[in-house]
PDB file of all heavy atoms in Angstrom:
ATOM      1  N   LEU F 562     -22.616  -0.668  19.122  1.00  0.00           N
ATOM      2  CA  LEU F 562     -23.251  -1.646  19.991  1.00  0.00           C
ATOM      3  C   LEU F 562     -23.945  -2.714  19.162  1.00  0.00           C
ATOM      4  O   LEU F 562     -24.829  -2.389  18.372  1.00  0.00           O
ATOM      5  CB  LEU F 562     -24.271  -0.956  20.915  1.00  0.00           C
ATOM      6  CG  LEU F 562     -23.691  -0.098  22.035  1.00  0.00           C
ATOM      7  CD1 LEU F 562     -24.810   0.728  22.680  1.00  0.00           C
ATOM      8  CD2 LEU F 562     -23.030  -0.969  23.076  1.00  0.00           C
ATOM      9  N   VAL F 563     -23.500  -3.962  19.296  1.00  0.00           N
ATOM     10  CA  VAL F 563     -24.017  -5.031  18.469  1.00  0.00           C
ATOM     11  C   VAL F 563     -24.361  -6.268  19.274  1.00  0.00           C
ATOM     12  O   VAL F 563     -23.937  -6.363  20.440  1.00  0.00           O
ATOM     13  CB  VAL F 563     -22.970  -5.411  17.377  1.00  0.00           C
ATOM     14  CG1 VAL F 563     -22.640  -4.234  16.501  1.00  0.00           C
ATOM     15  CG2 VAL F 563     -21.714  -5.965  18.011  1.00  0.00           C
ATOM     16  N   GLN F 564     -25.062  -7.198  18.665  1.00  0.00           N
ATOM     17  CA  GLN F 564     -25.413  -8.457  19.343  1.00  0.00           C
ATOM     18  C   GLN F 564     -24.963  -9.656  18.537  1.00  0.00           C
ATOM     19  O   GLN F 564     -25.389 -10.789  18.792  1.00  0.00           O
ATOM     20  CB  GLN F 564     -26.920  -8.500  19.589  1.00  0.00           C
ATOM     21  CG  GLN F 564     -27.364  -7.506  20.683  1.00  0.00           C
ATOM     22  CD  GLN F 564     -28.841  -7.669  21.057  1.00  0.00           C
ATOM     23  OE1 GLN F 564     -29.703  -7.591  20.210  1.00  0.00           O
ATOM     24  NE2 GLN F 564     -29.087  -7.910  22.335  1.00  0.00           N
ATOM     25  N   THR F 565     -24.074  -9.396  17.556  1.00  0.00           N
ATOM     26  CA  THR F 565     -23.526 -10.483  16.738  1.00  0.00           C
ATOM     27  C   THR F 565     -22.029 -10.349  16.673  1.00  0.00           C
ATOM     28  O   THR F 565     -21.488  -9.218  16.718  1.00  0.00           O
ATOM     29  CB  THR F 565     -24.097 -10.450  15.318  1.00  0.00           C
ATOM     30  OG1 THR F 565     -23.968  -9.141  14.784  1.00  0.00           O
ATOM     31  CG2 THR F 565     -25.535 -10.888  15.287  1.00  0.00           C
ATOM     32  N   GLN F 566     -21.331 -11.465  16.561  1.00  0.00           N
ATOM     33  CA  GLN F 566     -19.890 -11.441  16.428  1.00  0.00           C
ATOM     34  C   GLN F 566     -19.481 -11.476  14.960  1.00  0.00           C
ATOM     35  O   GLN F 566     -20.246 -11.901  14.109  1.00  0.00           O
ATOM     36  CB  GLN F 566     -19.266 -12.590  17.159  1.00  0.00           C
ATOM     37  CG  GLN F 566     -19.550 -13.979  16.563  1.00  0.00           C
ATOM     38  CD  GLN F 566     -18.989 -15.111  17.386  1.00  0.00           C
ATOM     39  OE1 GLN F 566     -19.259 -15.186  18.581  1.00  0.00           O
ATOM     40  NE2 GLN F 566     -18.288 -16.004  16.742  1.00  0.00           N
ATOM     41  N   TYR F 578     -26.906  -4.697  27.995  1.00  0.00           N
ATOM     42  CA  TYR F 578     -27.610  -3.680  27.246  1.00  0.00           C
ATOM     43  C   TYR F 578     -29.108  -3.795  27.574  1.00  0.00           C
ATOM     44  O   TYR F 578     -29.853  -4.564  27.010  1.00  0.00           O
ATOM     45  CB  TYR F 578     -27.399  -3.899  25.737  1.00  0.00           C
ATOM     46  CG  TYR F 578     -28.000  -2.822  24.864  1.00  0.00           C
ATOM     47  CD1 TYR F 578     -27.442  -1.540  24.854  1.00  0.00           C
ATOM     48  CD2 TYR F 578     -29.071  -3.082  24.060  1.00  0.00           C
ATOM     49  CE1 TYR F 578     -27.979  -0.553  24.035  1.00  0.00           C
ATOM     50  CE2 TYR F 578     -29.624  -2.098  23.242  1.00  0.00           C
ATOM     51  CZ  TYR F 578     -29.067  -0.823  23.250  1.00  0.00           C
ATOM     52  OH  TYR F 578     -29.595   0.187  22.468  1.00  0.00           O
ATOM     53  N   GLN F 581     -30.095  -7.233  28.184  1.00  0.00           N
ATOM     54  CA  GLN F 581     -29.746  -8.154  27.128  1.00  0.00           C
ATOM     55  C   GLN F 581     -28.234  -8.159  26.924  1.00  0.00           C
ATOM     56  O   GLN F 581     -27.566  -7.133  27.154  1.00  0.00           O
ATOM     57  CB  GLN F 581     -30.400  -7.717  25.804  1.00  0.00           C
ATOM     58  CG  GLN F 581     -31.881  -7.632  25.823  1.00  0.00           C
ATOM     59  CD  GLN F 581     -32.397  -7.135  24.455  1.00  0.00           C
ATOM     60  OE1 GLN F 581     -32.079  -7.721  23.446  1.00  0.00           O
ATOM     61  NE2 GLN F 581     -33.175  -6.085  24.476  1.00  0.00           N
ATOM     62  N   PRO F 582     -27.666  -9.285  26.498  1.00  0.00           N
ATOM     63  CA  PRO F 582     -26.266  -9.318  26.203  1.00  0.00           C
ATOM     64  C   PRO F 582     -25.945  -8.556  24.920  1.00  0.00           C
ATOM     65  O   PRO F 582     -26.704  -8.650  23.949  1.00  0.00           O
ATOM     66  CB  PRO F 582     -25.929 -10.787  26.044  1.00  0.00           C
ATOM     67  CG  PRO F 582     -27.224 -11.437  25.612  1.00  0.00           C
ATOM     68  CD  PRO F 582     -28.312 -10.616  26.316  1.00  0.00           C
ATOM     69  N   ALA F 583     -24.884  -7.767  24.926  1.00  0.00           N
ATOM     70  CA  ALA F 583     -24.432  -7.013  23.738  1.00  0.00           C
ATOM     71  C   ALA F 583     -22.936  -6.914  23.756  1.00  0.00           C
ATOM     72  O   ALA F 583     -22.290  -7.292  24.754  1.00  0.00           O
ATOM     73  CB  ALA F 583     -25.123  -5.637  23.689  1.00  0.00           C
ATOM     74  N   PHE F 584     -22.385  -6.432  22.666  1.00  0.00           N
ATOM     75  CA  PHE F 584     -20.941  -6.356  22.540  1.00  0.00           C
ATOM     76  C   PHE F 584     -20.534  -5.057  21.867  1.00  0.00           C
ATOM     77  O   PHE F 584     -21.321  -4.420  21.184  1.00  0.00           O
ATOM     78  CB  PHE F 584     -20.399  -7.516  21.703  1.00  0.00           C
ATOM     79  CG  PHE F 584     -20.958  -8.883  22.086  1.00  0.00           C
ATOM     80  CD1 PHE F 584     -22.018  -9.437  21.376  1.00  0.00           C
ATOM     81  CD2 PHE F 584     -20.452  -9.571  23.164  1.00  0.00           C
ATOM     82  CE1 PHE F 584     -22.532 -10.658  21.705  1.00  0.00           C
ATOM     83  CE2 PHE F 584     -20.979 -10.795  23.493  1.00  0.00           C
ATOM     84  CZ  PHE F 584     -22.014 -11.348  22.790  1.00  0.00           C
ATOM     85  N   TYR F 592     -22.818  -5.094   8.647  1.00  0.00           N
ATOM     86  CA  TYR F 592     -23.757  -3.970   8.356  1.00  0.00           C
ATOM     87  C   TYR F 592     -23.478  -3.340   7.017  1.00  0.00           C
ATOM     88  O   TYR F 592     -24.425  -2.967   6.297  1.00  0.00           O
ATOM     89  CB  TYR F 592     -23.666  -2.921   9.466  1.00  0.00           C
ATOM     90  CG  TYR F 592     -24.156  -3.463  10.793  1.00  0.00           C
ATOM     91  CD1 TYR F 592     -23.250  -3.946  11.739  1.00  0.00           C
ATOM     92  CD2 TYR F 592     -25.523  -3.511  11.109  1.00  0.00           C
ATOM     93  CE1 TYR F 592     -23.687  -4.446  12.968  1.00  0.00           C
ATOM     94  CE2 TYR F 592     -25.983  -4.014  12.309  1.00  0.00           C
ATOM     95  CZ  TYR F 592     -25.055  -4.471  13.251  1.00  0.00           C
ATOM     96  OH  TYR F 592     -25.500  -4.994  14.419  1.00  0.00           O
ATOM     97  N   PRO F 807     -29.826 -14.795  15.295  1.00  0.00           N
ATOM     98  CA  PRO F 807     -29.427 -13.389  15.451  1.00  0.00           C
ATOM     99  C   PRO F 807     -28.882 -12.767  14.130  1.00  0.00           C
ATOM    100  O   PRO F 807     -28.785 -11.565  13.993  1.00  0.00           O
ATOM    101  CB  PRO F 807     -28.278 -13.492  16.459  1.00  0.00           C
ATOM    102  CG  PRO F 807     -28.493 -14.763  17.182  1.00  0.00           C
ATOM    103  CD  PRO F 807     -29.069 -15.698  16.164  1.00  0.00           C
ATOM    104  N   TYR F 808     -28.564 -13.644  13.150  1.00  0.00           N
ATOM    105  CA  TYR F 808     -28.010 -13.171  11.886  1.00  0.00           C
ATOM    106  C   TYR F 808     -29.022 -13.107  10.767  1.00  0.00           C
ATOM    107  O   TYR F 808     -28.658 -13.047   9.582  1.00  0.00           O
ATOM    108  CB  TYR F 808     -26.826 -14.055  11.476  1.00  0.00           C
ATOM    109  CG  TYR F 808     -25.626 -13.970  12.360  1.00  0.00           C
ATOM    110  CD1 TYR F 808     -25.525 -14.734  13.541  1.00  0.00           C
ATOM    111  CD2 TYR F 808     -24.556 -13.093  12.062  1.00  0.00           C
ATOM    112  CE1 TYR F 808     -24.425 -14.637  14.366  1.00  0.00           C
ATOM    113  CE2 TYR F 808     -23.449 -13.020  12.894  1.00  0.00           C
ATOM    114  CZ  TYR F 808     -23.387 -13.798  14.030  1.00  0.00           C
ATOM    115  OH  TYR F 808     -22.288 -13.709  14.841  1.00  0.00           O
TER     116      TYR F 808
END
Side-chain angles (χ1 to χ4, degrees):
L562 287 169
V563 300
Q564 290 187 303
T565 50
Q566 68 185 51
Y578 186 70
Q581 301 178 54
F584 313 98
Y592 294 97
Y808 292 85

